[in-house]
C-alpha cells in the first residue's frame, strides 16, 4: 500500500487553506489541508505494523511540540506551478523531517525540505499568473502549535485515510 | 467545534464502499468510508483536550480489538433512504458504542445503534428503488479486524479531519 506522513494544522488554518483549495486545487476532495513530512512511499502492512510504526513512535517521542508561523504564499514555479502557504522553516520542523528520512524508514528525500501547505496546483499558465499575482500580494499572520503527525494510506480513488496519530514528546507503548 | 467519533475500516472495505459512494453518496468527498460510533457533538477545544480525550483513552484501553463481518446491504428506509453496508452487530461493537455514550462524554444516543457503512444517501425515490433493488440482491463477504477508533473534527467546508487515533486494548499516557 501507499503511505504518507503529514501534519494537519488547526481548523483555523485548514479553513483558510480550503478557501483557496476549493477553487484552485484538484486534490481538494482527496485530503484535508496538510504539511507533507514524508512523500508517499510503498510498504507492506506487516512492515508498517512491525517496523515503521515503532520507529515513528520513537521519532515522535524524541520530538517536542513546536510552533509554526505562516506569513505569505510562495510557489514552486517554474518547476511546477503549485502555490502554497509558506510555513516558516525552523530547526524543529526541519529536524522532524530529517528524523522521518533516516535509514530506518523507507523512502528517500528527493528534494530539500520546504515546509508548505498547498493551496493551488495544476493550474493553466494563465490561471497561475492571475492567481499567484493576486495571492502573492497578500499578507498572512497564522500561527499554530504542532503537537502531532499522522500516518496515512491512500485508497484506490486517490483519497487518503488516516491510519495512526503520533503525539510529539510522548512516550507510548 | 463539531466533533465525531468513527472507525475507518481496512483499505479493502473502504475501496468497496467507495465504489458505490462515488456514484450514490454526496458525502463521498467529505470523509472516507467509516462506521460512526458517536454522532457529531459540539465541544470546546479545552474540553476536548482536558476531559474528552482522557476519557476516550480510558474507553480504548478497556476495549479489546474485535472482528467485524459484512454480508449484505440494508437501508434506513422509510426513515431516510440511506443505503449501507450492514456491519453485523456484536457485543464488542455494541459495548464500545455504549462506552462512548456514558455520562462522561457529551452527546446523547438518539437512536438504537445500527453499525453500518453508508454507501448511498439523499437519492431521489426512483434512484433509491433502483439502487437498493439491485444492491440488496448482492452478497458480500467482508471481514475486518478493528483495533482503533478516531476522533475527528469538521471543517467549514463540511469535510472531516482526523484529530486523534485511539488504539483498542492499549494503555497510553
Amino acid at each position: 500500500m501507499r503511505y504518507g506522513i503529514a501534519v494537519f494544522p488547526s481548523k483555523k488554518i485548514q479553513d483558510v487553506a480550503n478557501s483557496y483549495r476549493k477553487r484552485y486545487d484538484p486534490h481538494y476532495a482527496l485530503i484535508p489541508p496538510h504539511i507533507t513530512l514524508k512523500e508517499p512511499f510503498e510498504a507492506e502492512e506487516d512492515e508498517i505494523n512491525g517496523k515503521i510504526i515503532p520507529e515513528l513512535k520513537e521519532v515522535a517521542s524524541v520530538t517536542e511540540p513546536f510552533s509554526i508561523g505562516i506569513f505569505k504564499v510562495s510557489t514552486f514555479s517554474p518547476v511546477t506551478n503549485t502555490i502554497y502557504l509558506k510555513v516558516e522553516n525552523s530547526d524543529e520542523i526541519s529536524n522532524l523531517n530529517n528524523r522521518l528520512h533516516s535509514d530506518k524508514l523507507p523512502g528517500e528525500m528527493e528534494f530539500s525540505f520546504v515546509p508548505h501547505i498547498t493551496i493551488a496546483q495544476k493550474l493553466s499558465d494563465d490561471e497561475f499568473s492571475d492567481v499567484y499575482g493576486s495571492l502573492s500580494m497578500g499578507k498572512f499572520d497564522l500561527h499554530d502549535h504542532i503537537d502531532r503527525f499522522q500516518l496515512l494510506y491512500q485508497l484506490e480513488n486517490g483519497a487518503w485515510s488516516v491510519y495512526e496519530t503520533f503525539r510529539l514528546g510522548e512516550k507510548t507503548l
Side-chain angles (χ1 to χ4, degrees), chain A:
Chain A
M1 280 205 303
R2 202 153 175 252
Y3 292 87
I5 298 174
V7 163
F8 294 96
S10 66
K11 173 174 182 295
K12 185 179 147 196
I13 293 180
Q14 290 200 52
D15 286 339
V16 170
N18 270 338
S19 68
Y20 302 105
R21 296 176 80 225
K22 182 172 186 168
R23 283 194 290 175
Y24 304 128
D25 184 354
H27 291 184
Y28 175 63
L30 300 179
I31 185 168
H34 60 279
I35 304 167
T36 300
L37 288 178
K38 190 172 175 71
E39 294 295 328
F41 58 91
E42 287 290 334
E44 301 295 327
E45 269 190 88
D46 287 357
E47 196 188 355
I48 284 288
N49 289 308
K51 265 185 62 184
I52 295 175
I53 286 180
E55 176 58 21
L56 295 179
K57 285 183 179 173
E58 178 60 26
V59 169
S61 75
V62 299
T63 305
E64 290 301 314
F66 57 90
S67 297
I68 59 168
I70 294 168
F71 307 109
K72 60 175 192 163
V73 304
S74 189
T75 174
F76 292 123
S77 170
V79 180
T80 72
N81 64 19
T82 297
I83 303 170
Y84 56 81
L85 296 175
K86 180 177 161 60
V87 177
E88 289 297 303
N89 213 335
S90 64
D91 287 349
E92 288 94 338
I93 197 166
S94 166
N95 287 341
L96 174 54
N97 177 258
N98 280 334
R99 290 184 194 117
L100 294 173
H101 290 85
S102 78
D103 292 346
K104 294 178 190 162
L105 293 168
E108 299 281 312
M109 181 134 58
E110 289 179 53
F111 310 99
S112 66
F113 179 54
V114 179
H116 69 280
I117 300 169
T118 295
I119 55 173
Q121 59 186 323
K122 300 181 182 170
L123 303 175
S124 70
D125 289 352
D126 284 355
E127 252 185 323
F128 171 76
S129 300
D130 280 1
V131 174
Y132 187 61
S134 121
L135 285 179
S136 62
M137 317 237 281
K139 284 221 168 66
F140 294 83
D141 189 22
L142 299 167
H143 299 266
D144 200 8
H145 180 70
I146 304 300
D147 63 358
R148 65 194 63 213
F149 61 82
Q150 319 231 23
L151 174 68
L152 301 96
Y153 60 82
Q154 193 169 29
L155 303 176
E156 289 307 307
N157 68 350
W160 291 87
S161 186
V162 170
Y163 187 61
E164 176 107 24
T165 314
F166 300 88
R167 292 182 70 134
L168 303 181
E170 285 192 8
K171 264 278 182 234
T172 45
L173 303 178

